[in-house]
Amino acid sequence: MSIELRELYQEVILDHNRHPRNRGKLEEATGYAEGHNPLCGDNIQVYLHTNGGLVEAVSFEGSGCAISTASASMMTEAVKGKTLEQVEAMFKEFQSMVTETGHAEEHPELGDLEVLGGVREYPVRIKCATLPWHTLKAALVGEADKVSTE
Ligand code: ZN
C-alpha cells in the first residue's frame, strides 16, 4: 500500500469500505445512473427514489477502490431524507471541500464525509471521491448516459 493511501485510509473510510451502507439495487427506483472513473477503474451504479422533492431512498452498487466505495456509502447516508435543494448544496460543499485548498476545515453538514477532505492532497484520488456524487446527480436529473470523470 502506498504512503498516500495509508494516510487516506482513516478508520471511518475503512469501516465504510468494509461495510458499505445502502449497498444493493433499489426496488422501484425513480432514478438510476452509472458512473465510471477510468483513471482508477471505479464503476458505480446509483439508484434513488424521490418523492415530492425528497430523496426517500438511495442505494449503490459497483466495484471500486476504498475511496470511491466509502464515498458512495457515506453519500447515501448523507442524502437520505434530504430535499433535492439540500442534496445540491451538499454536492457543492463536498466538491469544494475536496478540490479547493485552503477551504474551511469545518464541514459539520457533511457528517462522516468530512474525512474525505484529505483527498484534496492527492489529485488522482479526487475523482474517486467525487464519482458517486456525479453519478447521483445524473440519477437525479434522469440522465441515462453513463457518467465518466474523463
Ligand atoms: Zn478509485
Side-chain angles (χ1 to χ4, degrees):
M1 198 183 288
S2 68
I3 290 165
E4 77 173 50
L5 279 178
R6 212 175 305 139
E7 286 174 358
L8 278 170
Y9 275 42
Q10 298 178 38
E11 203 145 324
V12 181
I13 296 175
L14 279 173
D15 180 57
H16 277 272
N17 182 49
R18 279 200 217 101
H19 311 287
R21 324 300 199 259
N22 305 303
R23 188 162 206 168
K25 281 196 179 70
L26 200 65
E27 298 299 324
E28 296 170 30
T30 57
Y32 166 80
E34 283 180 53
H36 182 47
N37 173 19
L39 218 65
C40 178
D42 306 315
N43 281 297
I44 184 172
Q45 295 94 47
V46 171
Y47 303 84
L48 59 91
H49 189 97
T50 56
N51 190 9
L54 217 76
V55 177
E56 287 193 331
V58 55
S59 70
F60 77 101
E61 280 194 312
S63 59
C65 66
I67 300 295
S68 67
T69 302
S71 181
S73 173
M74 289 186 236
M75 177 189 78
T76 58
E77 287 203 309
V79 303
K80 203 168 176 177
K82 299 288 195 298
T83 67
L84 302 185
E85 288 76 20
Q86 287 172 316
V87 171
E88 179 70 21
M90 287 172 105
F91 177 83
K92 287 201 180 112
E93 183 71 18
F94 183 76
Q95 181 92 331
S96 72
M97 177 182 79
V98 298
T99 56
E100 291 167 23
T101 46
H103 193 264
E105 291 301 315
E106 302 283 312
H107 305 275
E109 68 281 16
L110 290 177
D112 279 357
L113 284 161
E114 203 174 345
V115 302
L116 287 168
V119 300
R120 196 170 42 230
E121 310 298 325
Y122 310 98
V124 83
R125 293 278 146 197
I126 292 172
K127 285 174 178 176
C128 301
T130 57
L131 177 68
W133 288 90
H134 287 295
T135 311
L136 172 75
K137 211 174 174 186
L140 278 171
V141 299
E143 284 172 12
D145 290 343
K146 211 169 174 180
V147 176
S148 176
T149 54
E150 292 305 297

